[in-house]
Amino acid sequence: MNIIIRQETEKDYEISETVVEKAFKNEVHSDRKEQLLVAKLRKSNVFVPELSLVAEINEEIVGHIMFTKLLVKDGEIKYGSLALAPVSVLPEYQNKGIGSKLILQGLKISKEMGFESIIVLGHDKYYPRFGFSPASKWGIKAPFDVPNESFMALELEDGSLERVTGTVVYSKDFFE
């Protein structure tokens, strides 16, 4: 199976949103609106086009990932970071390594672009394989109540979160 990971283009948007919708259709912890979030984030000031990626097999889009800008705020001090959300793979292609390839490519590009860290709210058994640890390790808190082990961070540069503490500030689009 030849999987191609590439930057999403505007002509991919509709297909990508369908992939996101189908990927979350049977997910227990979902409001079934992830595809709407993706569409809103693309129009926001936190959108990073180079970090909106698709996975293709035989020229068919089967997966999508998006990283957007966020802040960690401690009083008046603000630190820039990225949110990884969502990662989507069509149900019939799940558990074949496509999500992992999307994540690894996204991490690589994020680092190349000079981003130093990434925050994710996700499965605590899945994301640690990519180096994510509970964000509380650095004193970073979610802006809402979530299990500690599900709210994670990753340093793209060693020590980049060493002096970072505070509460994550997501784009308002995550809450509308």
Side-chain angles (χ1 to χ4, degrees):
M1 178 166 46
N2 187 26
I3 303 163
I4 295 170
I5 308 295
R6 64 169 176 79
Q7 183 177 334
E8 179 185 48
T9 64
E10 280 188 44
K11 69 179 180 59
D12 300 322
Y13 286 1
E14 189 176 328
I15 296 164
S16 294
E17 289 167 26
T18 300
V19 167
V20 174
E21 182 179 21
K22 288 180 178 178
F24 283 92
K25 187 176 183 181
N26 297 315
E27 183 62 36
V28 176
H29 301 290
S30 170
D31 62 3
R32 315 289 184 269
K33 295 181 183 177
E34 286 82 3
Q35 72 279 7
L36 303 177
L37 172 62
V38 167
K40 279 192 270 183
L41 287 169
R42 282 194 198 106
K43 296 174 187 162
S44 75
N45 64 345
V46 299
F47 181 57
V48 183
E50 298 87 346
L51 293 172
S52 187
L53 307 173
V54 293
E56 284 184 333
I57 297 175
N58 299 326
E59 298 182 18
E60 176 192 359
I61 293 175
V62 299
H64 176 266
I65 193 170
M66 181 179 275
F67 296 78
T68 54
K69 295 177 195 171
L70 63 70
L71 293 174
V72 179
K73 191 173 177 189
D74 184 13
E76 295 303 310
I77 302 169
K78 298 175 185 172
Y79 307 91
S81 188
L82 289 173
L84 187 174
V87 180
S88 311
V89 177
L90 288 173
E92 60 270 29
Y93 289 96
Q94 291 175 5
N95 301 309
K96 297 183 186 307
I98 296 168
S100 292
K101 286 185 184 301
L102 283 163
I103 291 168
L104 291 169
Q105 184 66 14
L107 297 179
K108 179 179 179 279
I109 294 169
S110 297
K111 185 172 182 169
E112 288 169 355
M113 290 181 73
F115 291 100
E116 295 182 344
S117 63
I118 298 176
I119 306 289
V120 68
L121 173 61
H123 296 291
D124 63 329
K125 303 289 186 253
Y126 182 71
Y127 288 97
R129 72 179 75 170
F130 304 102
F132 285 89
S133 300
S136 60
K137 168 180 172 180
W138 294 280
I140 299 171
K141 300 181 272 311
F144 37 73
D145 191 31
V146 294
N148 182 61
E149 63 276 4
S150 298
F151 193 67
M152 295 169 269
L154 170 69
E155 292 181 320
L156 293 174
E157 295 291 333
D158 286 342
S160 62
L161 292 175
E162 203 169 281
R163 292 183 177 85
V164 178
T165 62
T167 303
V168 167
V169 179
Y170 287 104
S171 164
K172 63 179 175 27
D173 301 289
F174 277 91
F175 303 102
E176 293 178 344

